[in-house]
PDB file of all heavy atoms in Angstrom:
ATOM      1  N   THR Z 498      98.956  37.612 275.693  1.00 92.00           N
ATOM      2  CA  THR Z 498      99.189  38.917 276.299  1.00 92.00           C
ATOM      3  C   THR Z 498     100.249  38.759 277.388  1.00 92.00           C
ATOM      4  O   THR Z 498     100.882  37.705 277.495  1.00 92.00           O
ATOM      5  CB  THR Z 498      97.884  39.503 276.868  1.00 92.00           C
ATOM      6  OG1 THR Z 498      98.127  40.839 277.314  1.00 92.00           O
ATOM      7  CG2 THR Z 498      97.346  38.663 278.013  1.00 92.00           C
ATOM      8  N   SER Z 499     100.446  39.781 278.180  1.00 91.00           N
ATOM      9  CA  SER Z 499     101.477  39.725 279.208  1.00 91.00           C
ATOM     10  C   SER Z 499     100.864  39.461 280.579  1.00 91.00           C
ATOM     11  O   SER Z 499      99.682  39.733 280.819  1.00 91.00           O
ATOM     12  CB  SER Z 499     102.258  41.045 279.256  1.00 91.00           C
ATOM     13  OG  SER Z 499     101.407  42.098 279.678  1.00 91.00           O
ATOM     14  N   LYS Z 500     101.685  38.942 281.483  1.00 92.00           N
ATOM     15  CA  LYS Z 500     101.229  38.684 282.845  1.00 92.00           C
ATOM     16  C   LYS Z 500     100.802  39.969 283.531  1.00 92.00           C
ATOM     17  O   LYS Z 500      99.861  39.967 284.334  1.00 92.00           O
ATOM     18  CB  LYS Z 500     102.340  37.994 283.629  1.00 92.00           C
ATOM     19  CG  LYS Z 500     101.977  37.648 285.064  1.00 92.00           C
ATOM     20  CD  LYS Z 500     103.043  36.790 285.720  1.00 92.00           C
ATOM     21  CE  LYS Z 500     104.343  37.567 285.881  1.00 92.00           C
ATOM     22  NZ  LYS Z 500     105.349  36.783 286.653  1.00 92.00           N
ATOM     23  N   SER Z 501     101.463  41.065 283.222  1.00 93.00           N
ATOM     24  CA  SER Z 501     101.131  42.338 283.862  1.00 93.00           C
ATOM     25  C   SER Z 501      99.699  42.767 283.562  1.00 93.00           C
ATOM     26  O   SER Z 501      99.049  43.420 284.382  1.00 93.00           O
ATOM     27  CB  SER Z 501     102.116  43.425 283.421  1.00 93.00           C
ATOM     28  OG  SER Z 501     102.017  43.642 282.013  1.00 93.00           O
ATOM     29  N   VAL Z 502      99.175  42.399 282.385  1.00 93.00           N
ATOM     30  CA  VAL Z 502      97.793  42.739 282.046  1.00 93.00           C
ATOM     31  C   VAL Z 502      96.838  42.018 282.987  1.00 93.00           C
ATOM     32  O   VAL Z 502      95.882  42.610 283.499  1.00 93.00           O
ATOM     33  CB  VAL Z 502      97.492  42.376 280.578  1.00 93.00           C
ATOM     34  CG1 VAL Z 502      96.000  42.519 280.284  1.00 93.00           C
ATOM     35  CG2 VAL Z 502      98.303  43.251 279.639  1.00 93.00           C
ATOM     36  N   PHE Z 503      97.092  40.743 283.232  1.00 93.00           N
ATOM     37  CA  PHE Z 503      96.230  39.993 284.152  1.00 93.00           C
ATOM     38  C   PHE Z 503      96.330  40.553 285.568  1.00 93.00           C
ATOM     39  O   PHE Z 503      95.321  40.649 286.274  1.00 93.00           O
ATOM     40  CB  PHE Z 503      96.590  38.507 284.130  1.00 93.00           C
ATOM     41  CG  PHE Z 503      95.967  37.762 282.990  1.00 93.00           C
ATOM     42  CD1 PHE Z 503      96.659  37.550 281.803  1.00 93.00           C
ATOM     43  CD2 PHE Z 503      94.670  37.268 283.083  1.00 93.00           C
ATOM     44  CE1 PHE Z 503      96.083  36.853 280.751  1.00 93.00           C
ATOM     45  CE2 PHE Z 503      94.077  36.585 282.040  1.00 93.00           C
ATOM     46  CZ  PHE Z 503      94.782  36.379 280.864  1.00 93.00           C
ATOM     47  N   TYR Z 504      97.530  40.913 285.988  1.00 94.00           N
ATOM     48  CA  TYR Z 504      97.685  41.501 287.328  1.00 94.00           C
ATOM     49  C   TYR Z 504      96.961  42.834 287.425  1.00 94.00           C
ATOM     50  O   TYR Z 504      96.398  43.178 288.466  1.00 94.00           O
ATOM     51  CB  TYR Z 504      99.167  41.667 287.663  1.00 94.00           C
ATOM     52  CG  TYR Z 504      99.814  40.392 288.161  1.00 94.00           C
ATOM     53  CD1 TYR Z 504     100.788  39.746 287.409  1.00 94.00           C
ATOM     54  CD2 TYR Z 504      99.436  39.827 289.383  1.00 94.00           C
ATOM     55  CE1 TYR Z 504     101.380  38.573 287.856  1.00 94.00           C
ATOM     56  CE2 TYR Z 504     100.023  38.652 289.841  1.00 94.00           C
ATOM     57  CZ  TYR Z 504     100.987  38.032 289.067  1.00 94.00           C
ATOM     58  OH  TYR Z 504     101.567  36.868 289.512  1.00 94.00           O
ATOM     59  N   ARG Z 505      96.956  43.603 286.346  1.00 93.00           N
ATOM     60  CA  ARG Z 505      96.290  44.900 286.353  1.00 93.00           C
ATOM     61  C   ARG Z 505      94.777  44.736 286.548  1.00 93.00           C
ATOM     62  O   ARG Z 505      94.144  45.530 287.231  1.00 93.00           O
ATOM     63  CB  ARG Z 505      96.575  45.635 285.052  1.00 93.00           C
ATOM     64  CG  ARG Z 505      96.078  47.086 285.024  1.00 93.00           C
ATOM     65  CD  ARG Z 505      96.320  47.714 283.661  1.00 93.00           C
ATOM     66  NE  ARG Z 505      97.647  47.393 283.153  1.00 93.00           N
ATOM     67  CZ  ARG Z 505      97.921  47.142 281.882  1.00 93.00           C
ATOM     68  NH1 ARG Z 505      96.956  47.151 280.979  1.00 93.00           N
ATOM     69  NH2 ARG Z 505      99.160  46.879 281.501  1.00 93.00           N
ATOM     70  N   TYR Z 506      94.207  43.697 285.949  1.00 92.00           N
ATOM     71  CA  TYR Z 506      92.750  43.511 286.012  1.00 92.00           C
ATOM     72  C   TYR Z 506      92.301  42.662 287.201  1.00 92.00           C
ATOM     73  O   TYR Z 506      91.178  42.831 287.684  1.00 92.00           O
ATOM     74  CB  TYR Z 506      92.249  42.875 284.721  1.00 92.00           C
ATOM     75  CG  TYR Z 506      92.072  43.866 283.596  1.00 92.00           C
ATOM     76  CD1 TYR Z 506      93.132  44.211 282.764  1.00 92.00           C
ATOM     77  CD2 TYR Z 506      90.834  44.470 283.360  1.00 92.00           C
ATOM     78  CE1 TYR Z 506      92.970  45.130 281.732  1.00 92.00           C
ATOM     79  CE2 TYR Z 506      90.663  45.383 282.331  1.00 92.00           C
ATOM     80  CZ  TYR Z 506      91.734  45.705 281.525  1.00 92.00           C
ATOM     81  OH  TYR Z 506      91.575  46.629 280.503  1.00 92.00           O
ATOM     82  N   PHE Z 507      93.153  41.746 287.669  1.00 93.00           N
ATOM     83  CA  PHE Z 507      92.701  40.789 288.685  1.00 93.00           C
ATOM     84  C   PHE Z 507      93.533  40.792 289.963  1.00 93.00           C
ATOM     85  O   PHE Z 507      93.165  40.123 290.920  1.00 93.00           O
ATOM     86  CB  PHE Z 507      92.690  39.374 288.091  1.00 93.00           C
ATOM     87  CG  PHE Z 507      91.863  39.261 286.847  1.00 93.00           C
ATOM     88  CD1 PHE Z 507      92.460  39.200 285.597  1.00 93.00           C
ATOM     89  CD2 PHE Z 507      90.472  39.246 286.907  1.00 93.00           C
ATOM     90  CE1 PHE Z 507      91.705  39.103 284.444  1.00 93.00           C
ATOM     91  CE2 PHE Z 507      89.700  39.161 285.760  1.00 93.00           C
ATOM     92  CZ  PHE Z 507      90.320  39.091 284.524  1.00 93.00           C
ATOM     93  N   GLY Z 508      94.631  41.531 289.982  1.00 91.00           N
ATOM     94  CA  GLY Z 508      95.443  41.623 291.187  1.00 91.00           C
ATOM     95  C   GLY Z 508      96.453  40.506 291.307  1.00 91.00           C
ATOM     96  O   GLY Z 508      97.658  40.755 291.397  1.00 91.00           O
ATOM     97  N   ASP Z 509      96.002  39.267 291.325  1.00 91.00           N
ATOM     98  CA  ASP Z 509      96.875  38.104 291.416  1.00 91.00           C
ATOM     99  C   ASP Z 509      96.117  36.886 290.901  1.00 91.00           C
ATOM    100  O   ASP Z 509      94.989  37.002 290.414  1.00 91.00           O
ATOM    101  CB  ASP Z 509      97.373  37.888 292.854  1.00 91.00           C
ATOM    102  CG  ASP Z 509      96.227  37.813 293.863  1.00 91.00           C
ATOM    103  OD1 ASP Z 509      95.070  37.591 293.439  1.00 91.00           O
ATOM    104  OD2 ASP Z 509      96.481  37.968 295.067  1.00 91.00           O
ATOM    105  N   LYS Z 510      96.729  35.719 291.043  1.00 90.00           N
ATOM    106  CA  LYS Z 510      96.095  34.509 290.529  1.00 90.00           C
ATOM    107  C   LYS Z 510      94.798  34.208 291.281  1.00 90.00           C
ATOM    108  O   LYS Z 510      93.822  33.711 290.695  1.00 90.00           O
ATOM    109  CB  LYS Z 510      97.046  33.324 290.614  1.00 90.00           C
ATOM    110  CG  LYS Z 510      96.493  32.071 289.949  1.00 90.00           C
ATOM    111  CD  LYS Z 510      97.494  30.930 289.939  1.00 90.00           C
ATOM    112  CE  LYS Z 510      96.907  29.696 289.266  1.00 90.00           C
ATOM    113  NZ  LYS Z 510      97.874  28.569 289.237  1.00 90.00           N
ATOM    114  N   ALA Z 511      94.782  34.497 292.586  1.00 89.00           N
ATOM    115  CA  ALA Z 511      93.562  34.280 293.367  1.00 89.00           C
ATOM    116  C   ALA Z 511      92.415  35.139 292.836  1.00 89.00           C
ATOM    117  O   ALA Z 511      91.262  34.693 292.770  1.00 89.00           O
ATOM    118  CB  ALA Z 511      93.814  34.580 294.840  1.00 89.00           C
ATOM    119  N   GLY Z 512      92.723  36.377 292.454  1.00 91.00           N
ATOM    120  CA  GLY Z 512      91.701  37.247 291.883  1.00 91.00           C
ATOM    121  C   GLY Z 512      91.200  36.734 290.544  1.00 91.00           C
ATOM    122  O   GLY Z 512      90.004  36.812 290.247  1.00 91.00           O
ATOM    123  N   LEU Z 513      92.118  36.206 289.743  1.00 92.00           N
ATOM    124  CA  LEU Z 513      91.715  35.618 288.454  1.00 92.00           C
ATOM    125  C   LEU Z 513      90.851  34.382 288.686  1.00 92.00           C
ATOM    126  O   LEU Z 513      89.828  34.194 288.027  1.00 92.00           O
ATOM    127  CB  LEU Z 513      92.953  35.253 287.638  1.00 92.00           C
ATOM    128  CG  LEU Z 513      92.692  34.524 286.317  1.00 92.00           C
ATOM    129  CD1 LEU Z 513      91.870  35.376 285.367  1.00 92.00           C
ATOM    130  CD2 LEU Z 513      94.022  34.116 285.661  1.00 92.00           C
ATOM    131  N   GLN Z 514      91.257  33.563 289.635  1.00 91.00           N
ATOM    132  CA  GLN Z 514      90.490  32.359 289.954  1.00 91.00           C
ATOM    133  C   GLN Z 514      89.071  32.732 290.385  1.00 91.00           C
ATOM    134  O   GLN Z 514      88.096  32.104 289.958  1.00 91.00           O
ATOM    135  CB  GLN Z 514      91.179  31.578 291.069  1.00 91.00           C
ATOM    136  CG  GLN Z 514      90.477  30.277 291.429  1.00 91.00           C
ATOM    137  CD  GLN Z 514      91.106  29.608 292.642  1.00 91.00           C
ATOM    138  OE1 GLN Z 514      91.602  30.273 293.552  1.00 91.00           O
ATOM    139  NE2 GLN Z 514      91.075  28.291 292.659  1.00 91.00           N
ATOM    140  N   GLN Z 515      88.946  33.774 291.182  1.00 89.00           N
ATOM    141  CA  GLN Z 515      87.620  34.197 291.630  1.00 89.00           C
ATOM    142  C   GLN Z 515      86.780  34.699 290.462  1.00 89.00           C
ATOM    143  O   GLN Z 515      85.585  34.402 290.373  1.00 89.00           O
ATOM    144  CB  GLN Z 515      87.739  35.291 292.689  1.00 89.00           C
ATOM    145  CG  GLN Z 515      86.392  35.779 293.204  1.00 89.00           C
ATOM    146  CD  GLN Z 515      86.526  36.764 294.345  1.00 89.00           C
ATOM    147  OE1 GLN Z 515      87.608  36.956 294.892  1.00 89.00           O
ATOM    148  NE2 GLN Z 515      85.432  37.404 294.697  1.00 89.00           N
ATOM    149  N   ALA Z 516      87.395  35.461 289.564  1.00 91.00           N
ATOM    150  CA  ALA Z 516      86.656  35.973 288.408  1.00 91.00           C
ATOM    151  C   ALA Z 516      86.176  34.841 287.502  1.00 91.00           C
ATOM    152  O   ALA Z 516      85.046  34.859 287.004  1.00 91.00           O
ATOM    153  CB  ALA Z 516      87.534  36.951 287.624  1.00 91.00           C
ATOM    154  N   VAL Z 517      87.041  33.846 287.290  1.00 92.00           N
ATOM    155  CA  VAL Z 517      86.643  32.695 286.473  1.00 92.00           C
ATOM    156  C   VAL Z 517      85.537  31.915 287.185  1.00 92.00           C
ATOM    157  O   VAL Z 517      84.570  31.465 286.561  1.00 92.00           O
ATOM    158  CB  VAL Z 517      87.858  31.790 286.183  1.00 92.00           C
ATOM    159  CG1 VAL Z 517      87.420  30.518 285.458  1.00 92.00           C
ATOM    160  CG2 VAL Z 517      88.894  32.535 285.342  1.00 92.00           C
ATOM    161  N   ALA Z 518      85.666  31.765 288.497  1.00 90.00           N
ATOM    162  CA  ALA Z 518      84.654  31.040 289.265  1.00 90.00           C
ATOM    163  C   ALA Z 518      83.304  31.739 289.184  1.00 90.00           C
ATOM    164  O   ALA Z 518      82.267  31.079 289.037  1.00 90.00           O
ATOM    165  CB  ALA Z 518      85.094  30.909 290.724  1.00 90.00           C
ATOM    166  N   GLU Z 519      83.303  33.049 289.303  1.00 88.00           N
ATOM    167  CA  GLU Z 519      82.039  33.785 289.213  1.00 88.00           C
ATOM    168  C   GLU Z 519      81.362  33.536 287.872  1.00 88.00           C
ATOM    169  O   GLU Z 519      80.138  33.367 287.793  1.00 88.00           O
ATOM    170  CB  GLU Z 519      82.290  35.273 289.419  1.00 88.00           C
ATOM    171  CG  GLU Z 519      82.657  35.634 290.857  1.00 88.00           C
ATOM    172  CD  GLU Z 519      83.091  37.078 290.994  1.00 88.00           C
ATOM    173  OE1 GLU Z 519      83.201  37.770 289.959  1.00 88.00           O
ATOM    174  OE2 GLU Z 519      83.343  37.522 292.132  1.00 88.00           O
ATOM    175  N   ARG Z 520      82.153  33.490 286.822  1.00 90.00           N
ATOM    176  CA  ARG Z 520      81.609  33.262 285.486  1.00 90.00           C
ATOM    177  C   ARG Z 520      81.094  31.832 285.339  1.00 90.00           C
ATOM    178  O   ARG Z 520      79.963  31.597 284.892  1.00 90.00           O
ATOM    179  CB  ARG Z 520      82.704  33.538 284.446  1.00 90.00           C
ATOM    180  CG  ARG Z 520      82.307  33.271 283.015  1.00 90.00           C
ATOM    181  CD  ARG Z 520      81.333  34.288 282.510  1.00 90.00           C
ATOM    182  NE  ARG Z 520      81.057  34.105 281.096  1.00 90.00           N
ATOM    183  CZ  ARG Z 520      80.141  34.783 280.419  1.00 90.00           C
ATOM    184  NH1 ARG Z 520      79.424  35.710 281.039  1.00 90.00           N
ATOM    185  NH2 ARG Z 520      79.945  34.566 279.143  1.00 90.00           N
ATOM    186  N   VAL Z 521      81.924  30.862 285.725  1.00 90.00           N
ATOM    187  CA  VAL Z 521      81.572  29.453 285.546  1.00 90.00           C
ATOM    188  C   VAL Z 521      80.409  29.064 286.448  1.00 90.00           C
ATOM    189  O   VAL Z 521      79.428  28.441 286.005  1.00 90.00           O
ATOM    190  CB  VAL Z 521      82.800  28.560 285.828  1.00 90.00           C
ATOM    191  CG1 VAL Z 521      82.403  27.094 285.862  1.00 90.00           C
ATOM    192  CG2 VAL Z 521      83.873  28.791 284.769  1.00 90.00           C
ATOM    193  N   LEU Z 522      80.503  29.429 287.729  1.00 88.00           N
ATOM    194  CA  LEU Z 522      79.453  29.039 288.664  1.00 88.00           C
ATOM    195  C   LEU Z 522      78.165  29.812 288.412  1.00 88.00           C
ATOM    196  O   LEU Z 522      77.069  29.295 288.648  1.00 88.00           O
ATOM    197  CB  LEU Z 522      79.934  29.244 290.100  1.00 88.00           C
ATOM    198  CG  LEU Z 522      81.136  28.379 290.505  1.00 88.00           C
ATOM    199  CD1 LEU Z 522      81.544  28.686 291.944  1.00 88.00           C
ATOM    200  CD2 LEU Z 522      80.857  26.894 290.338  1.00 88.00           C
ATOM    201  N   GLY Z 523      78.283  31.045 287.932  1.00 88.00           N
ATOM    202  CA  GLY Z 523      77.094  31.799 287.570  1.00 88.00           C
ATOM    203  C   GLY Z 523      76.348  31.136 286.427  1.00 88.00           C
ATOM    204  O   GLY Z 523      75.113  31.042 286.438  1.00 88.00           O
ATOM    205  N   ARG Z 524      77.099  30.664 285.450  1.00 89.00           N
ATOM    206  CA  ARG Z 524      76.477  29.954 284.322  1.00 89.00           C
ATOM    207  C   ARG Z 524      75.828  28.657 284.808  1.00 89.00           C
ATOM    208  O   ARG Z 524      74.707  28.309 284.406  1.00 89.00           O
ATOM    209  CB  ARG Z 524      77.531  29.646 283.270  1.00 89.00           C
ATOM    210  CG  ARG Z 524      77.020  28.774 282.127  1.00 89.00           C
ATOM    211  CD  ARG Z 524      78.160  28.347 281.219  1.00 89.00           C
ATOM    212  NE  ARG Z 524      77.764  27.260 280.333  1.00 89.00           N
ATOM    213  CZ  ARG Z 524      78.622  26.534 279.642  1.00 89.00           C
ATOM    214  NH1 ARG Z 524      79.919  26.775 279.730  1.00 89.00           N
ATOM    215  NH2 ARG Z 524      78.211  25.555 278.863  1.00 89.00           N
ATOM    216  N   LEU Z 525      76.530  27.931 285.687  1.00 88.00           N
ATOM    217  CA  LEU Z 525      75.983  26.675 286.181  1.00 88.00           C
ATOM    218  C   LEU Z 525      74.723  26.915 287.006  1.00 88.00           C
ATOM    219  O   LEU Z 525      73.733  26.175 286.862  1.00 88.00           O
ATOM    220  CB  LEU Z 525      77.030  25.947 287.022  1.00 88.00           C
ATOM    221  CG  LEU Z 525      76.579  24.641 287.688  1.00 88.00           C
ATOM    222  CD1 LEU Z 525      76.012  23.667 286.660  1.00 88.00           C
ATOM    223  CD2 LEU Z 525      77.735  24.008 288.448  1.00 88.00           C
ATOM    224  N   GLU Z 526      74.735  27.932 287.847  1.00 86.00           N
ATOM    225  CA  GLU Z 526      73.546  28.224 288.645  1.00 86.00           C
ATOM    226  C   GLU Z 526      72.353  28.550 287.734  1.00 86.00           C
ATOM    227  O   GLU Z 526      71.220  28.130 288.002  1.00 86.00           O
ATOM    228  CB  GLU Z 526      73.823  29.385 289.599  1.00 86.00           C
ATOM    229  CG  GLU Z 526      72.698  29.642 290.581  1.00 86.00           C
ATOM    230  CD  GLU Z 526      73.042  30.695 291.618  1.00 86.00           C
ATOM    231  OE1 GLU Z 526      74.243  31.021 291.778  1.00 86.00           O
ATOM    232  OE2 GLU Z 526      72.112  31.206 292.282  1.00 86.00           O
ATOM    233  N   GLN Z 527      72.610  29.289 286.656  1.00 89.00           N
ATOM    234  CA  GLN Z 527      71.534  29.596 285.704  1.00 89.00           C
ATOM    235  C   GLN Z 527      70.989  28.321 285.074  1.00 89.00           C
ATOM    236  O   GLN Z 527      69.770  28.153 284.926  1.00 89.00           O
ATOM    237  CB  GLN Z 527      72.060  30.529 284.622  1.00 89.00           C
ATOM    238  CG  GLN Z 527      71.015  30.907 283.579  1.00 89.00           C
ATOM    239  CD  GLN Z 527      71.579  31.822 282.498  1.00 89.00           C
ATOM    240  OE1 GLN Z 527      72.726  32.267 282.572  1.00 89.00           O
ATOM    241  NE2 GLN Z 527      70.786  32.102 281.489  1.00 89.00           N
ATOM    242  N   GLU Z 528      71.869  27.396 284.712  1.00 89.00           N
ATOM    243  CA  GLU Z 528      71.429  26.148 284.106  1.00 89.00           C
ATOM    244  C   GLU Z 528      70.639  25.295 285.096  1.00 89.00           C
ATOM    245  O   GLU Z 528      69.682  24.605 284.721  1.00 89.00           O
ATOM    246  CB  GLU Z 528      72.629  25.373 283.565  1.00 89.00           C
ATOM    247  CG  GLU Z 528      73.284  26.051 282.371  1.00 89.00           C
ATOM    248  CD  GLU Z 528      74.377  25.204 281.749  1.00 89.00           C
ATOM    249  OE1 GLU Z 528      74.611  24.080 282.238  1.00 89.00           O
ATOM    250  OE2 GLU Z 528      75.003  25.661 280.773  1.00 89.00           O
ATOM    251  N   LEU Z 529      71.026  25.332 286.363  1.00 87.00           N
ATOM    252  CA  LEU Z 529      70.282  24.586 287.377  1.00 87.00           C
ATOM    253  C   LEU Z 529      68.879  25.166 287.547  1.00 87.00           C
ATOM    254  O   LEU Z 529      67.901  24.422 287.694  1.00 87.00           O
ATOM    255  CB  LEU Z 529      71.034  24.603 288.702  1.00 87.00           C
ATOM    256  CG  LEU Z 529      72.390  23.890 288.721  1.00 87.00           C
ATOM    257  CD1 LEU Z 529      73.033  24.010 290.102  1.00 87.00           C
ATOM    258  CD2 LEU Z 529      72.256  22.430 288.337  1.00 87.00           C
ATOM    259  N   HIS Z 530      68.777  26.494 287.538  1.00 87.00           N
ATOM    260  CA  HIS Z 530      67.463  27.136 287.612  1.00 87.00           C
ATOM    261  C   HIS Z 530      66.599  26.721 286.420  1.00 87.00           C
ATOM    262  O   HIS Z 530      65.406  26.424 286.576  1.00 87.00           O
ATOM    263  CB  HIS Z 530      67.609  28.653 287.640  1.00 87.00           C
ATOM    264  CG  HIS Z 530      67.854  29.223 289.001  1.00 87.00           C
ATOM    265  ND1 HIS Z 530      66.838  29.413 289.917  1.00 87.00           N
ATOM    266  CD2 HIS Z 530      69.004  29.632 289.605  1.00 87.00           C
ATOM    267  CE1 HIS Z 530      67.339  29.924 291.030  1.00 87.00           C
ATOM    268  NE2 HIS Z 530      68.649  30.059 290.869  1.00 87.00           N
ATOM    269  N   GLU Z 531      67.189  26.716 285.234  1.00 88.00           N
ATOM    270  CA  GLU Z 531      66.438  26.341 284.037  1.00 88.00           C
ATOM    271  C   GLU Z 531      65.999  24.888 284.097  1.00 88.00           C
ATOM    272  O   GLU Z 531      64.874  24.546 283.694  1.00 88.00           O
ATOM    273  CB  GLU Z 531      67.296  26.593 282.792  1.00 88.00           C
ATOM    274  CG  GLU Z 531      67.550  28.074 282.521  1.00 88.00           C
ATOM    275  CD  GLU Z 531      68.533  28.304 281.387  1.00 88.00           C
ATOM    276  OE1 GLU Z 531      69.085  27.296 280.867  1.00 88.00           O
ATOM    277  OE2 GLU Z 531      68.772  29.470 281.026  1.00 88.00           O
ATOM    278  N   ALA Z 532      66.867  24.013 284.619  1.00 86.00           N
ATOM    279  CA  ALA Z 532      66.508  22.599 284.735  1.00 86.00           C
ATOM    280  C   ALA Z 532      65.344  22.421 285.695  1.00 86.00           C
ATOM    281  O   ALA Z 532      64.418  21.642 285.432  1.00 86.00           O
ATOM    282  CB  ALA Z 532      67.717  21.788 285.205  1.00 86.00           C
ATOM    283  N   ALA Z 533      65.362  23.156 286.800  1.00 83.00           N
ATOM    284  CA  ALA Z 533      64.278  23.056 287.770  1.00 83.00           C
ATOM    285  C   ALA Z 533      62.985  23.630 287.208  1.00 83.00           C
ATOM    286  O   ALA Z 533      61.903  23.072 287.397  1.00 83.00           O
ATOM    287  CB  ALA Z 533      64.667  23.774 289.058  1.00 83.00           C
ATOM    288  N   ALA Z 534      63.098  24.749 286.494  1.00 84.00           N
ATOM    289  CA  ALA Z 534      61.898  25.424 285.985  1.00 84.00           C
ATOM    290  C   ALA Z 534      61.239  24.641 284.856  1.00 84.00           C
ATOM    291  O   ALA Z 534      60.011  24.681 284.701  1.00 84.00           O
ATOM    292  CB  ALA Z 534      62.253  26.825 285.503  1.00 84.00           C
ATOM    293  N   SER Z 535      62.010  23.941 284.054  1.00 87.00           N
ATOM    294  CA  SER Z 535      61.456  23.235 282.900  1.00 87.00           C
ATOM    295  C   SER Z 535      61.065  21.791 283.209  1.00 87.00           C
ATOM    296  O   SER Z 535      60.534  21.094 282.333  1.00 87.00           O
ATOM    297  CB  SER Z 535      62.463  23.242 281.745  1.00 87.00           C
ATOM    298  OG  SER Z 535      63.645  22.555 282.115  1.00 87.00           O
ATOM    299  N   ALA Z 536      61.317  21.343 284.431  1.00 83.00           N
ATOM    300  CA  ALA Z 536      61.047  19.948 284.784  1.00 83.00           C
ATOM    301  C   ALA Z 536      59.548  19.670 284.807  1.00 83.00           C
ATOM    302  O   ALA Z 536      58.755  20.495 285.252  1.00 83.00           O
ATOM    303  CB  ALA Z 536      61.663  19.619 286.139  1.00 83.00           C
ATOM    304  N   ARG Z 537      59.159  18.497 284.346  1.00 85.00           N
ATOM    305  CA  ARG Z 537      57.754  18.100 284.350  1.00 85.00           C
ATOM    306  C   ARG Z 537      57.302  17.564 285.702  1.00 85.00           C
ATOM    307  O   ARG Z 537      56.102  17.457 285.955  1.00 85.00           O
ATOM    308  CB  ARG Z 537      57.520  17.043 283.270  1.00 85.00           C
ATOM    309  CG  ARG Z 537      57.726  17.552 281.847  1.00 85.00           C
ATOM    310  CD  ARG Z 537      57.690  16.412 280.856  1.00 85.00           C
ATOM    311  NE  ARG Z 537      58.808  15.489 281.084  1.00 85.00           N
ATOM    312  CZ  ARG Z 537      59.009  14.371 280.375  1.00 85.00           C
ATOM    313  NH1 ARG Z 537      58.157  14.037 279.428  1.00 85.00           N
ATOM    314  NH2 ARG Z 537      60.042  13.608 280.626  1.00 85.00           N
ATOM    315  N   SER Z 538      58.250  17.211 286.550  1.00 83.00           N
ATOM    316  CA  SER Z 538      57.924  16.679 287.864  1.00 83.00           C
ATOM    317  C   SER Z 538      59.067  17.000 288.811  1.00 83.00           C
ATOM    318  O   SER Z 538      60.176  17.334 288.364  1.00 83.00           O
ATOM    319  CB  SER Z 538      57.721  15.160 287.794  1.00 83.00           C
ATOM    320  OG  SER Z 538      58.962  14.513 287.535  1.00 83.00           O
ATOM    321  N   PRO Z 539      58.850  16.911 290.124  1.00 78.00           N
ATOM    322  CA  PRO Z 539      59.953  17.140 291.073  1.00 78.00           C
ATOM    323  C   PRO Z 539      61.124  16.191 290.833  1.00 78.00           C
ATOM    324  O   PRO Z 539      62.279  16.597 290.934  1.00 78.00           O
ATOM    325  CB  PRO Z 539      59.297  16.900 292.435  1.00 78.00           C
ATOM    326  CG  PRO Z 539      57.849  17.188 292.221  1.00 78.00           C
ATOM    327  CD  PRO Z 539      57.558  16.730 290.820  1.00 78.00           C
ATOM    328  N   LEU Z 540      60.825  14.938 290.518  1.00 82.00           N
ATOM    329  CA  LEU Z 540      61.903  13.983 290.255  1.00 82.00           C
ATOM    330  C   LEU Z 540      62.734  14.425 289.058  1.00 82.00           C
ATOM    331  O   LEU Z 540      63.965  14.391 289.090  1.00 82.00           O
ATOM    332  CB  LEU Z 540      61.320  12.596 290.011  1.00 82.00           C
ATOM    333  CG  LEU Z 540      62.312  11.427 289.915  1.00 82.00           C
ATOM    334  CD1 LEU Z 540      61.653  10.141 290.415  1.00 82.00           C
ATOM    335  CD2 LEU Z 540      62.820  11.222 288.493  1.00 82.00           C
ATOM    336  N   ASP Z 541      62.058  14.875 288.001  1.00 86.00           N
ATOM    337  CA  ASP Z 541      62.778  15.379 286.827  1.00 86.00           C
ATOM    338  C   ASP Z 541      63.609  16.611 287.183  1.00 86.00           C
ATOM    339  O   ASP Z 541      64.682  16.829 286.614  1.00 86.00           O
ATOM    340  CB  ASP Z 541      61.793  15.739 285.708  1.00 86.00           C
ATOM    341  CG  ASP Z 541      61.238  14.516 285.003  1.00 86.00           C
ATOM    342  OD1 ASP Z 541      61.857  13.443 285.124  1.00 86.00           O
ATOM    343  OD2 ASP Z 541      60.187  14.628 284.352  1.00 86.00           O
TER     344      ASP Z 541
END
């Protein structure tokens, strides 16, 4: 696609970086919650 499309949705590269971070870190936080919830012991 064109650069103008990304600017229209995210403003600039910093905005795109934040949107990607929200997605990636949100997924990671969910996985950390699942790891803690499914653990058989605190060490696990």
Side-chain angles (χ1 to χ4, degrees):
T498 186
S499 66
K500 181 172 66 174
S501 63
V502 171
F503 278 95
Y504 279 113
R505 188 184 316 142
Y506 279 86
F507 304 103
D509 54 18
K510 186 175 180 180
L513 175 62
Q514 182 186 33
Q515 180 174 350
V517 174
E519 289 172 355
R520 177 71 174 173
V521 171
L522 297 179
R524 174 188 166 194
L525 176 55
E526 187 174 344
Q527 180 181 354
E528 292 186 1
L529 295 179
H530 275 281
E531 292 173 356
S535 62
R537 295 171 296 178
S538 69
L540 188 150
D541 285 341

